[in-house]
Every structure is written in C-alpha cells, then in structure tokens.
Amino acid sequence: MTVPHYDGAGRLLQPEGYKTWVHVGVNLGIGYQENTEEPSEPGQFMNVYMQPEAYKHYAQTKRFPEKTMLALVQYKPEEMGSIARSGLMSGKHVGLSFAVKDSSTFKESWAYFGFATREGFRDAAEAFPRQDCYQCHAAHAEDDNVFVQFYPLLRDIYDRRDKTAP
Amino acid sequence: MTVPHYDGAGRLLQPEGYKTWVHVGVNLGIGYQENTEEPSEPGQFMNVYMQPEAYKHYAQTKRFPEKTMLALVQYKPEEMGSIARSGLMSGKHVGLSFAVKDSSTFKESWAYFGFATREGFRDAAEAFPRQDCYQCHAAHAEDDNVFVQFYPLLRDIYDRRDKTAP
C-alpha cells in the first residue's frame, strides 16, 4: 500500500497515484473552507479517494488502518457541452488535500495537508494547525475523524456495523 | 480483469465489484436520457468507472482493450448537512448502466445495458436497441465510442495522444 512519506522538516511529500485509488464519494459545492490557500468557491467537485488496501481493511474490519490516506481532489465544474443539453462535468483540477492517519507521527493520530498554491501543487506540505481541520473532524465526523456519512462506499460499510459493538 | 458474462439469452449478467474500479469521472445533472427505464431527473450524480486493467491498458496504449466495461452509477443528490452549510452529496444509488466492448459478441463492438427497474437492479439485462445509445456514442464520443471528453482521467490520457498518429 502507498504509505505517507515525510521530508526532514516533517512535511508530507505529495503522494502519487491517488487518482486511481478507490473513489469513496464525491460532493459538489460544500460550503466551508477546507483548504485555506484556495479562495472559497462554492460549486467545486470534491472527489475523495483512499488506498485500495485501506479500503479493503475498512470493509473487513470497520477500522481505518494506520497509514490510511484520504485524498481530496477538487475540480472546477464546467458545462459538458457536446450531446449534453445541460450538466456539469469536472474541468480543471484545482485542489488537492490529504488526511493522514499515522499515530507514530501525530499524537492525535490524524493530520491534514493542503498542496494547492496559487502557482500549482507543491511537492511537500506541512500539517494544517489543529484548529483548521482536526477539531472539526474530531467533533463532527462520524467514524474515527472520517466523514463516512458523506461518502456512499464508506457509509454502506459503516451502516452495516454491529450497533452493539463498543 | 473482470470480464462481461452473458446468460443463454445473450443478456449481460450484472458485473460485480464495479464501485471499486478506477473512477474516471463524475457528472451532475446531464440533460439527456441514457437509461430509458428511469424517469428523467436532472441533478443526478453520474459516476463512471472502468476495470483497473482496462484503464492501465488505455493509459499505456491509448486503446480500449476488448472486454472493456464502463459502469455508469447514478446517485440521487442529497443535502450534506452536518458541518456543511451548503453542498450536495451522493444519496441513494438509483441508476446502473454498462457500456461493454466485446467485438466477438457485438458486430458493432460496443453495446449498452441498463439494470435499473422500478423494483431495483435486475440481475441480467438485454442490450439497448442501436438507436438508444450506440448511435449517439458513435457520432459524438471522442474516442472509440467513449466520451473521453467528459472524464478527466481519460481526457488527460487522450490529450497526450500523438496528434499525427492515424
């Protein structure tokens, strides 16, 4: 499984291959600011992917394994054109963030990283401050800091949980 | 690679595991009627997936291999709620169609199948008549009956093509 790598300063190196990981869901136009370096533009497609091995582990055990990474990939919507009389498709790739579970590196297990800058995507990113992402995920995400309630593939697994389990 | 299977009457058996294939793109609210058994509801998320092996083949050769399947998976949009002040997420899974390239079975190479019925998804589906899907794909899809222009992962590969190639 593709695992997180860091540079000497503790910054996450931009992971590779995330666009072919398991796509757990997509949102459009979420109205809060996840990536502080991007202007708030309602209307972006936000695709969320995780490593196939981490997805399989979650499907089998209902637990996110150590080194789980969730990629948030944002596209600017564009009119489809061609044979479509209406409809929005994904245009330019404009946003890239990662959530990383790595308890041996982060004392709160999860950390969050944004790679988009005005000039493009950088190669390495420091973790966002605690109040920018972690707090909200910890308070509102349904399972282990992950918003499984938003992503159909994870929601389907989560809803099959044994409700009496601890 | 997961390949298409048919029953004795030539109907495509519903493929398995398609939600974890490579997600090549998503559209919202495309305004034409792909699946004749579903009422026209503008606003659905349409996720498109293909087998990982077929995707890899396309990335390497710019050709869709025989037995390529593209899954069209439609979700009803829902307000996200929770911490999102606005935004649409994927709610109920309501549509399921497949495009299949299989020249040994279909004289025009590609055929199209819809699995959604009023009662849910059926186990097997006959191919749509030529005029329902094939004609439009043949006339307007950018590469080998596939609307690569709508799907960022395929568009990125297609746009890297050698423009002087035959």
Side-chain angles (χ1 to χ4, degrees), chain A residues 40-57:
Chain A
S40 180
E41 275 191 346
Q44 288 185 356
F45 283 107
M46 185 191 282
N47 292 276
V48 181
Y49 307 83
M50 66 191 288
Q51 306 109 310
E53 299 85 351
Y55 171 77
K56 200 173 200 177
H57 186 97

Side-chain angles (χ1 to χ4, degrees), chain A residues 71-151:
Chain A
L72 276 67
V73 181
Q74 282 162 281
Y75 287 92
K76 211 174 160 63
E78 251 179 43
E79 292 292 335
M80 298 180 73
S82 183
I83 47 96
R85 277 193 272 183
S86 64
L88 294 173
M89 66 172 184
S90 303
K92 195 180 172 206
H93 177 191
V94 292
L96 180 62
S97 307
F98 284 85
V100 176
K101 180 175 182 173
D102 189 349
S103 304
S104 62
T105 305
F106 313 112
K107 70 173 196 294
E108 288 166 321
S109 289
W110 289 91
Y112 301 87
F113 304 85
F115 288 87
T117 70
R118 285 178 199 284
E119 291 76 38
F121 300 138
R122 54 189 171 185
D123 296 328
E126 64 276 17
F128 281 111
R130 195 177 181 287
Q131 67 275 16
D132 281 359
C133 304
Y134 179 87
Q135 280 184 338
C136 182
H137 280 252
H140 300 288
E142 196 117 11
D143 189 21
D144 189 16
N145 269 40
V146 180
F147 281 92
V148 296
Q149 64 263 48
F150 292 160
Y151 311 129

Side-chain angles (χ1 to χ4, degrees), chain B residues 7-143:
Chain B
D7 67 10
R11 296 181 304 176
L12 179 68
L13 301 178
Q14 190 188 126
E16 290 181 357
Y18 53 85
K19 286 185 183 178
T20 59
W21 294 353
V22 171
H23 182 273
V24 298
V26 60
N27 309 312
L28 181 75
I30 186 166
Y32 73 90
Q33 187 68 344
E34 177 95 25
N35 184 336
T36 57
E37 303 203 346
E38 282 269 314
S40 181
E41 275 191 346
Q44 288 184 356
F45 283 107
M46 185 192 283
N47 292 276
V48 181
Y49 307 82
M50 65 191 287
Q51 307 108 312
E53 300 85 352
Y55 172 77
K56 200 171 200 177
H57 187 97
Y58 188 67
Q60 288 168 348
T61 66
K62 279 79 173 177
R63 294 282 182 272
F64 294 103
E66 288 297 328
K67 314 295 184 183
T68 290
M69 291 195 278
L70 292 150
L72 277 68
V73 181
Q74 283 162 280
Y75 287 92
K76 211 173 160 65
E78 251 179 42
E79 292 293 335
M80 297 180 73
S82 182
I83 48 97
R85 276 191 274 181
S86 64
L88 294 173
M89 67 172 184
S90 302
K92 195 179 171 208
H93 177 191
V94 291
L96 180 61
S97 306
F98 285 85
V100 176
K101 180 175 182 175
D102 189 349
S103 304
S104 62
T105 306
F106 313 114
K107 71 174 196 296
E108 287 166 322
S109 290
W110 289 92
Y112 301 87
F113 304 85
F115 287 88
T117 70
R118 283 177 200 285
E119 291 76 37
F121 300 138
R122 55 188 169 184
D123 296 328
E126 64 275 19
F128 280 111
R130 196 177 181 286
Q131 67 274 15
D132 281 358
C133 304
Y134 180 87
Q135 279 184 338
C136 182
H137 280 251
H140 299 287
E142 196 118 8
D143 190 21

